[in-house]
Amino acid sequence: MKALHPLLVAAALVLAAPSAMAVSTFYLNDNTDPGACTQDGANANAAGNQYTCSMQGSSADELAVRAYANTGSGAKFAAARVGDYGGGFGVTSGTESHGSSPEHGMDNNVNIEGLLLNFDASFALTSLQAGWWNTDSDVTLLAWTGLGDPTAALTGATTATLSGSGWSRGGGYPNIEPNVTNVNAGLISSSYWLVTAYNSTFGGGQGWTAGNDYVKLKMVSGNFTCVHSNDPGCNNNQAPQPTSLALVGAALLGTYGLRRRRRDA
């Protein structure tokens, strides 16, 4: 049996490599699509609690979810409570009751509430879905693109100063229920994302109103773009992109073809 040329073998391995842009989907304990999220022991069922989640088809914890609201001194953001409900994750803050509807959803009535999504590597968030809503379900999406500690920057900011503290607008999206809503057309990638009830400071569309959005977040999905790196720009350990792999494979095939032509000449 004739042995394959090493360049052909290398090209085949490169072109067969799994895509670094495979879609990763996380279900946040919705009744119809149960996720794999568990509450950590620290601050359980209180402000500052955290849930860790694994994506669909995986057993590894790759997402941590915490809640924040602008209830701190000077209307700065402070830790709130993530609520695990039948329609997904909601938020309670200030004097809101954990079991009171619709305040147990992530809302913008009095305070702006949000869910901080911390992925274990840089992630290009591409879609959201609500599992429950009341009155309206408009949301604002922010990505951490600054330097330093994103949670410290968040708790040191108000709704008006978020963009100057390292948080960048990822878009405003109306009515994210009940269908999947595509987000982040610019494919910003970051390990930290903040999904809030509609924040008018970052603008919205015609007819958007603040103060009446109540949402439970059911699902988030997107693409892990870097491996073991929390840097917003993925400066370290960047995973090869599919186009790069294709180019490398094509180059190896081209080199093999050129050598063969020269040998046959």
Side-chain angles (χ1 to χ4, degrees):
M1 181 177 178
K2 188 175 181 180
L4 290 174
H5 193 284
L7 283 174
L8 282 179
V9 175
L13 289 173
V14 169
L15 292 173
S19 170
M21 294 291 283
V23 174
S24 299
T25 300
F26 295 85
Y27 286 105
L28 308 180
N29 288 11
D30 174 67
N31 280 343
T32 56
D33 294 294
C37 298
T38 57
Q39 185 173 200
D40 296 351
N43 300 313
N45 300 316
N49 67 331
Q50 175 178 284
Y51 280 82
T52 52
C53 308
S54 58
M55 66 181 175
Q56 191 177 36
S58 171
S59 59
D61 290 332
E62 296 165 300
L63 169 64
V65 183
R66 283 171 283 171
Y68 289 86
N70 62 332
T71 54
S73 175
K76 292 181 179 179
F77 279 87
R81 174 181 175 173
V82 182
D84 177 7
Y85 303 104
F89 282 167
V91 178
T92 51
S93 65
T95 59
E96 292 179 342
S97 171
H98 177 60
S100 177
S101 181
E103 287 79 12
H104 63 330
M106 179 179 72
D107 67 75
N108 53 11
N109 180 18
V110 182
N111 301 309
I112 301 289
E113 297 175 339
L115 291 167
L116 179 67
L117 310 177
N118 176 203
F119 297 92
D120 72 348
S122 195
F123 193 78
L125 190 63
T126 57
S127 63
L128 304 172
Q129 187 178 18
W132 176 94
W133 65 285
N134 186 281
T135 311
D136 206 356
S137 59
D138 306 332
V139 299
T140 298
L141 180 64
L142 301 171
W144 173 251
T145 56
L147 300 175
D149 183 354
T151 56
L154 177 58
T155 54
T158 66
T159 56
T161 62
L162 272 175
S163 60
S165 65
W167 289 94
S168 299
R169 185 177 187 271
Y173 303 94
N175 308 322
I176 67 166
E177 89 311 317
N179 300 316
V180 174
T181 298
N182 294 326
V183 300
N184 186 30
L187 293 179
I188 299 170
S189 185
S190 176
S191 295
Y192 289 85
W193 290 87
L194 182 65
V195 184
T196 73
Y198 169 50
N199 180 355
S200 59
T201 303
F202 289 89
Q206 184 177 3
W208 288 36
T209 55
N212 64 346
D213 298 288
Y214 300 86
V215 179
K216 295 175 189 172
L217 192 61
K218 163 185 175 176
M219 183 278 294
V220 297
S221 69
N223 312 109
F224 282 106
T225 55
C226 299
V227 178
H228 303 307
S229 172
N230 287 330
D231 295 338
C234 300
N235 295 319
N236 301 315
N237 302 319
Q238 180 139 7
Q241 301 300 310
T243 51
S244 300
L245 292 173
L247 288 172
V248 171
L252 289 170
L253 288 174
T255 301
Y256 171 76
L258 180 61
R259 287 187 177 182
R260 184 169 183 176
R261 285 196 299 272
R262 286 177 176 173
R263 185 193 64 192
D264 295 340

